[in-house]
Structure formats: C-alpha cells, structure tokens
Amino acid sequence: MGISYAGDLTVEESSFFRFYPGGSLSVQFDGKSPVRPMLNAGYGRFSEQLDAFPVQPPVGVEPNTFVETSFFFADFRLQYYFFQNKRLHPYLSAGLGLFSFSPLDQEGNFLGENIFTRLDDESYSTTIASFPLTAGMHFQVNDVISLGLDYT
C-alpha cells in the first residue's frame, strides 16, 4: 500500500505529493451475502517537514516542523459488495479499530514526551481509535485469487 501524510505540517499545494510504502494483511470472510466481515492489520511510515509555520504560534509553544513516524493499525470492517457472482466487485466498507504511532522529531526524540510543542492543556496520545472508510474494487482472477484496489 502507499501512504501519504496530510496533517498540520501539510502545505496545501504539496498535499499527497509523496508516497511511502506500507503493508497490510486482511482476512475476509466469504459468502453469498453482500455484507462480509473483514479483519485487517497493517503498518507503514512517513516523514514530513515544514520550513516555517504560516501563523504565529501561541506564546510558550515551539511547534515542531518535522515529523517521522512508523505506525500500526488493526481493525474490523464490514464490506458491502454491490454485485454478486461477477468478476468485478465494487464495494464500500466501514470499520472500527486502533491506530498506534510513534512520532519522532529531526533529532530522533519522541514527540509524545515533548510538552513544549503544544499548549499546556493539550493531550497527546499515540494510540487512538480509528474509523476506516473504504471504497474499492476487486477483480476475481479465479476461485481463490482476486486483485484489488481501494482508497481508505
């Protein structure tokens, strides 16, 4: 899979210009029903750098302008397939899971412990709930193998 970062260090005109590799493993339960459960787990990494923030940060906050992180996720999804018994299977899915990451600054320091990069009352958790929404398509090669492309 390809990972692209869009967050507080993203400048609008550079959104989604860089992709990083990642991987996932899924177990999908087959059947005749158009709604099928799926267990999914994966990993990846990305880095991003911003030369200067476009707005002045609050007093006492030294915003970070670089982040590099690896991440892991696991979730349960329900996929809805629009066509039955066809070679082409467009689908939508929604799920619930956990997403965990470990952001580092340019010196390799863990950003979760750096309280000076955020406001005093701002919390920073590195494991969060995720709600993946996916649109995709599977092409059935034979009874066992299918190829897929999706956007989550």
Side-chain angles (χ1 to χ4, degrees):
M1 67 182 182
I3 294 113
S4 185
Y5 170 82
D8 56 352
L9 298 184
T10 305
V11 178
E12 192 172 307
E13 58 271 3
S14 70
S15 296
F16 303 113
F17 279 5
R18 285 188 284 176
F19 284 88
Y20 296 88
S24 66
L25 179 64
S26 301
V27 175
Q28 181 176 340
F29 301 93
D30 200 8
K32 299 296 180 195
S33 171
V35 178
R36 301 176 194 163
M38 182 177 84
L39 297 172
N40 194 38
Y43 66 93
R45 68 166 289 281
F46 67 82
S47 64
E48 187 69 56
Q49 181 170 346
L50 181 64
D51 294 329
F53 272 92
V55 295
Q56 184 67 28
V59 175
V61 174
E62 300 173 25
N64 190 52
T65 58
F66 175 89
V67 66
E68 178 178 46
T69 188
S70 57
F71 61 84
F72 300 91
F73 62 89
D75 55 60
F76 173 78
R77 301 179 192 188
L78 290 176
Q79 293 184 312
Y80 178 79
Y81 285 86
F82 294 100
F83 304 126
Q84 297 294 320
N85 302 321
K86 306 263 186 201
R87 290 181 72 89
L88 203 55
H89 305 276
Y91 66 91
L92 294 174
S93 75
L96 174 65
L98 290 176
F99 186 90
S100 181
F101 58 102
S102 54
L104 305 174
D105 65 13
Q106 59 270 28
E107 284 89 34
N109 300 316
F110 180 59
L111 285 170
E113 297 171 351
N114 188 344
I115 61 171
F116 301 109
T117 61
R118 55 190 176 273
L119 298 173
D120 289 337
D121 59 349
E122 186 178 353
S123 64
Y124 195 92
S125 178
T126 58
T127 300
I128 58 174
S130 67
F131 304 96
L133 300 173
T134 302
M137 178 110 29
H138 284 155
F139 176 74
Q140 196 71 38
V141 176
N142 59 39
D143 288 341
V144 178
I145 298 173
S146 66
L147 300 175
L149 180 65
D150 65 38
Y151 180 79
T152 301

